[in-house]
Amino acid sequence: MTDKRSPLILAIDLGTSSVRALLVDLQLNIVTQCAAGLKLDEPRDGWVQQEAEPVVQAAFAAIRGALDRRPDASGQVSGLCFSNAVSSLLPLDGQLKPLGPALTWADSRAFAEAAAVKEEHGGELYRRTGCPLHATYWLPKLLWTRRHAPELFSSAHLWVTLKDYVVLRLTGSLAIDASNAAATGLMNLERGVWDDLPLSLAGISPDQLPPIMPTTAILPRFTDAAAQELGLRPDLPLVLGAGDGVLSTLGTGVVRPGQSTTMIGSSGAARVVATGPGGRDRLCRTWSYPLADGLWVLGGAENSGGLVVEWVMSMIYRDIVGAASASAEAYAALMADAAQAGPGADGLLFLPYLFGERAPIWNEDARGAFIGLSARHTRAHLARAALEGTIYALYTVLEALEEQAGPIREVRVSGGYVRSPLWLQIQADLFGQRLLLPANFEGSALGAAILGQYALGQIDSLAAGAARVGTSGEIEPDPTAARAYREVVPLYKQAYANLTDLFSALRRIRNKTRAGGR
Amino acid sequence: MNRAPSESILGVDIGTGGCKTLAVDSSGKIIAEATVPYPTMAPRPGWAEQDPDLVLEQVSRSIRQCAAELQGPPVALCLSGALHSFLPLDDTGRPLMNALTWADSRAATQAARLKGLPAAHALYDRTGCPLHPLYWLPKALWLRENRPDLLARTARIVSIKDYVVYHLTGEWLADQSIASGTGLLNLETLDWDDGALDAAELCRELLLPVMPITTDGGSIQERAVESTNLPRGTRVVLGACDAALSSLGAGAVGQGTFVAMIGSSGAVRTFSPRPLTDPRERTWCYVLDRHHYLVGGAINNAGLVLRWFADKVLDLHDPNPFELLTREAAEVQAGAEGLLFLPFLTGERSPGWNSRARGVLFGLSLHHGRAHFARAMLESVGLRLRSVLEAMEQVAGPAREIRVSGGFVNSPLWLQIVSDILGRSLFVPSTPNTSALGAALLGWHALGELPELQGAERLVGISSEVAPNPDRHDIYSRLFGLYEKLYRELQGSFEEISDFQEEFSPE
């Protein structure tokens, strides 16, 4: 039940495909919400960009929409707090106007620059910034821009994220929260300031970047124009907030060391909480972004999630998929078949790296493989192996995190895969660990609400907020299946280790055969 | 001796999937034909059995149907039989169990044990057969260790073709060609090898007398008259194994002429004038006659890969999925855009003889579709044949000419892929039914009409030549290097995975 007197936080989730505004009360009930869609431009292979103005307009529309739906609650709104998709890069001119579209986190045009910098400075940069070198981060993106759009690069007065730009338009103030600053790959982890090594490599100066502030920092005033347009008090506090990876961790109730969260949507991720920054992983596999109060979120994102399973489905269930409308039926068939095959899919392995892999192997050349096919295998085994392969990929991320942050005692799950009991059971069995289902799957928005409540003094600690997330169910590992998976996991590791060099050889052949004929 | 044009011999090919009968005149012309299928049963993983009485009934039906199209009765029959079938009979000649086919790998443990014996290589050198579960030697040990009750009642062990001959003529005779595919025949003496019999723990009395392939196997006796509709007294020439007769029927008799066969399984074969074995045991050698020894390498997984994909993975319910899959595969470029398949769904025979090898689809990417799978599967068989051909040329000398046989001759795309992978021209004989044609030609030879088997070369026409494309050959050569490396790198995984499959898979 919503408390009529409870202060409400307006949580703004700036995602890649939509902006959502949610009114959340102290008990983390969602009073109302409103979403506004966003367009992504993909003009070329690997380019994923977004114009800034539509993002601002969508944010305004979502906020207005949420407030309009509950005019009765407007008096209770106590502040705003942001969650956002990290690592977008937007150039601004001297008048603070965008010079072009923002390159989103998903933009991979700078892959060559990333590889080149990694080769030369990878280890040192990782120790300083805690970010593995990848095209998603700012240094490769800046290098790409300098090389391919030199005029834009030299005329850029400031470089910001899309969230910084929305905040700028709301308040007239320029600021980046420490979590987002870390997720640019340019921040020094230990000192919380822009690091001179990546900046000098990129060829920019610290005054071209926004000042770094805590995630709990409060900007005290809206511009009059924004306040008027949104129908908000100009002195309503705006809490800077943090990146969506960090806040969805908090929003699933994970706030203490030993707790972890795993997610599978289109892709997948695993995150843990630590009491200090990362950046110490010898293999440079995972990122670490600050939350608040000396807590850090360590995480790794991987590519091998729902998209991979959908691809397998479209491949082997084409009789059912046929028309796109039947895909729910095909999905159900895949799950039903997969449930028929035993743990380990009768010795069929599936490496799910259909489009290269990020954490923990960071191998762009990696590709998918079914290994161990025998004449008795059917589509049921292929379906099962596909699910198991995605869980194996997730497991390797958590394993890398565990090496840095200590043993994992609790796993909370989120993302589309929580709708599949089989998929979750495979995870519980393969991890050999109980899974907790959060009571509410609005992870990043709830995280923003908790952070906002804490910043505004409505709760005493982040842990107090996280405790209110609650759980709705548990999944226990099956001992027999877990025993089988203890044998399967080393088989996966061995297969990948044996194939690592071959993936590079395969890339050279792919390049060559593209020139070939029918 | 000039025969009247209507006179014919029936070449009866008792294959794995069915019986093909051709009526062929003395000039090699095919006058009539009939095909009748029969099933293989797989009651447990790795087992492959056939009901000998059902096979017998279907063989008779095939003969009857073919003969019905002739103006007059055939001069004779000559039989071709699948290699390696293993059938224990009691003292009344009744089967004690179903016949185990070449695809049956239940004796894998026994084969592995035998392979470790100090005498293993000498056994291979004498018999031409590597120690592999498809041969009789390990199968006999399996019988001893698992069904001693049946072994105790066994009076004879025969091949399915021997069983058919007996029911046609009343004679118990083994031809030396099929006999040498048991792994128990000495290639020099052309009789059962004492050392091999010792290793198999079999006494000689359980085996049939070994006869040359042109031996008069007797004539159609009263009880076969009704089932075959042939006149009593029609002569039956003993015949040989389908592999050797397929080479004969493809006109590939001369030195340096190779046959590349792709059916359900696949093989590369050539004749040598003397027994030929490989220090590395990659190839086998079976006798046809004193002047013709068939040297070859066989692969387990060829057409059956597409069949598996269509039936088990895609659930197509299509009696002939090859047409659909090859049509789709034709839309994809050579190299399947970086998708590579290792086809070891039923383990591997030549050249590595690793029954624990397993299938691999490697290089999967989001832009791959079903068509890429199909293309990669077609290509995988070609890549396997290249491995076998390379071993074969080291053992038997260079291939001057490569002729083709088996179901893939009906697929222009598959022929082109194999030609491109091998980088060689392929010559397509005028009939795809080379084993049955070879059997008929052997029949004419036995009757003195074809004085030399070499003469088959003149009688068998070539209907087309498929030439390799140099650009695609270049692509495939790069792919071949990767495919060999992939196989080597995964050896360890195959061991572990097959262990896991044995431990955790329900029987």
Side-chain angles (χ1 to χ4, degrees), chain B residues 165-371:
Chain B
V165 168
Y166 172 74
H167 282 271
L168 291 176
T169 70
E171 305 282 347
W172 284 117
L173 296 170
D175 73 74
Q176 62 195 25
S177 156
I178 287 186
S180 83
T182 64
L184 301 176
L185 193 86
N186 186 300
L187 286 173
E188 296 293 339
T189 65
L190 299 189
D191 197 0
W192 303 116
D193 182 275
D194 286 325
L197 292 179
D198 283 350
E201 298 181 46
L202 286 179
C203 63
R204 187 176 282 265
E205 287 64 40
L206 292 181
L207 304 177
L208 301 184
V210 181
M211 310 298 283
I213 57 175
T214 49
T215 300
D216 181 351
S219 56
I220 297 288
Q221 58 172 349
E222 194 58 48
R223 63 177 172 172
V225 165
E226 196 184 335
S227 60
T228 61
N229 212 17
L230 292 178
R232 190 174 169 187
T234 306
R235 187 172 165 187
V236 176
V237 178
L238 201 50
C241 73
D242 57 357
L245 291 177
S246 170
S247 289
L248 189 64
V253 196
Q255 185 127 30
T257 307
F258 282 48
V259 170
M261 185 281 284
I262 297 179
S264 177
S265 60
V268 177
R269 311 176 188 119
T270 191
F271 281 117
S272 154
R274 68 196 75 79
L276 211 52
T277 52
D278 173 24
R280 291 165 61 188
E281 298 192 25
R282 290 166 299 179
T283 55
W284 43 252
C285 179
Y286 310 140
V287 66
L288 181 64
D289 66 20
R290 282 277 181 199
H291 309 289
H292 298 90
Y293 292 82
L294 191 70
V295 182
I299 62 171
N300 266 0
N301 308 282
L304 72 82
V305 169
L306 284 126
R307 169 60 71 184
W308 165 81
F309 184 53
D311 290 355
K312 298 283 192 65
V313 178
L314 300 178
D315 218 5
L316 283 182
H317 305 293
D318 183 343
N320 183 15
F322 296 93
E323 197 199 311
L324 171 73
L325 292 177
T326 51
R327 196 171 60 232
E328 290 188 356
E331 299 299 315
V332 178
Q333 290 185 345
E337 295 180 38
L339 183 62
L340 201 53
F341 187 60
L342 299 186
F344 309 121
L345 296 178
T346 64
E348 186 209 20
R349 275 195 277 168
S350 296
W353 298 91
N354 179 2
S355 52
R356 285 148 74 86
R358 291 293 179 269
V360 176
L361 253 172
F362 174 74
L364 290 164
S365 165
L366 216 48
H367 70 277
H368 289 136
R370 185 165 94 180

Side-chain angles (χ1 to χ4, degrees), chain A residues 16-299:
Chain A
T16 314
S17 54
S18 71
V19 180
R20 297 186 314 136
L22 297 87
L23 274 175
V24 183
D25 74 9
L26 212 45
Q27 301 307 317
L28 302 180
N29 297 304
I30 292 161
V31 177
T32 188
Q33 59 174 304
C34 179
L38 288 177
K39 211 167 117 296
L40 278 174
D41 300 324
E42 300 182 59
R44 293 172 66 170
D45 192 31
W47 293 28
V48 189
Q49 59 196 37
Q50 213 158 31
E51 295 291 339
E53 189 56 31
V55 176
V56 172
Q57 293 311 319
F60 277 53
I63 293 170
R64 269 196 317 267
L67 295 171
D68 287 352
R69 278 176 200 182
R70 289 299 296 270
D72 57 307
S74 63
Q76 289 167 261
V77 177
S78 59
L80 265 73
C81 186
F82 280 90
S83 158
N84 67 297
V86 298
S87 308
S88 60
L89 175 66
L90 177 70
L92 301 181
D93 66 13
Q95 280 73 53
L96 305 182
K97 297 266 184 296
L99 282 163
L103 312 191
T104 70
W105 66 271
D107 194 294
S108 61
R109 72 184 71 184
F111 68 92
E113 285 76 11
V117 181
K118 186 175 183 175
E119 184 79 31
E120 202 152 342
H121 304 284
E124 178 61 20
L125 283 167
Y126 182 75
R127 276 187 292 281
R128 287 167 179 249
T129 68
C131 296
L133 259 164
H134 186 265
T136 195
Y137 292 113
W138 278 19
L139 175 54
K141 280 172 170 163
L142 287 165
L143 289 170
W144 186 94
T145 308
R146 191 165 82 179
R147 182 164 166 209
H148 297 279
E151 281 180 25
L152 186 151
F153 184 82
S154 57
S155 57
H157 184 71
L158 265 175
W159 300 95
V160 299
T161 71
L162 280 167
K163 191 200 91 175
D164 305 336
Y165 185 67
V166 171
V167 169
L168 176 69
R169 291 284 293 271
L170 285 171
T171 65
S173 304
L174 193 63
I176 186 168
D177 69 80
S179 149
N180 268 289
T184 64
L186 304 182
M187 189 185 87
N188 185 292
L189 284 182
E190 301 288 344
R191 296 188 290 129
V193 299
W194 299 116
D195 191 281
D196 50 4
L197 175 61
L199 262 59
S200 65
L201 290 171
I204 61 169
S205 68
D207 55 16
Q208 286 179 276
L209 299 170
I212 300 173
M213 301 176 77
T215 58
T216 49
I218 296 168
L219 299 184
R221 283 196 73 81
F222 283 82
T223 66
D224 291 340
Q228 196 167 6
E229 193 175 341
L230 295 172
L232 291 170
R233 324 192 308 262
D235 62 347
L236 188 71
L238 181 151
V239 180
L240 272 189
D244 54 6
V246 166
L247 288 181
S248 70
T249 306
L250 179 63
T252 49
V254 170
V255 75
R256 290 188 317 274
Q259 287 184 300
S260 69
T261 176
T262 60
M263 183 278 291
I264 291 184
S266 315
S267 58
R271 302 180 208 102
V272 299
V273 169
T275 48
R280 298 191 186 91
D281 179 24
R282 197 173 44 81
L283 300 170
C284 310
R285 292 168 296 183
T286 50
W287 50 254
S288 73
Y289 307 149
L291 172 56
D293 291 349
L295 292 178
W296 291 70
V297 175
L298 274 52

Side-chain angles (χ1 to χ4, degrees), chain B residues 405-473:
Chain B
S405 71
F408 91 124
V409 301
N410 298 316
S411 165
L413 174 70
W414 210 352
L415 285 169
Q416 189 63 56
I417 287 173
V418 173
S419 170
D420 290 341
I421 289 174
L422 300 180
R424 314 283 183 100
S425 282
L426 302 180
F427 295 88
V428 184
S430 48
T431 174
N433 303 310
T434 45
S435 296
L437 177 60
L441 295 177
L442 177 62
W444 284 117
H445 173 65
L447 265 55
E449 198 66 26
L450 186 66
E452 298 286 334
L453 282 180
Q454 235 75 13
E457 261 178 9
R458 284 191 331 277
L459 297 183
V460 176
I462 292 296
S463 67
S464 63
E465 175 186 346
V466 181
N469 169 297
D471 292 339
R472 287 192 299 258
H473 178 61

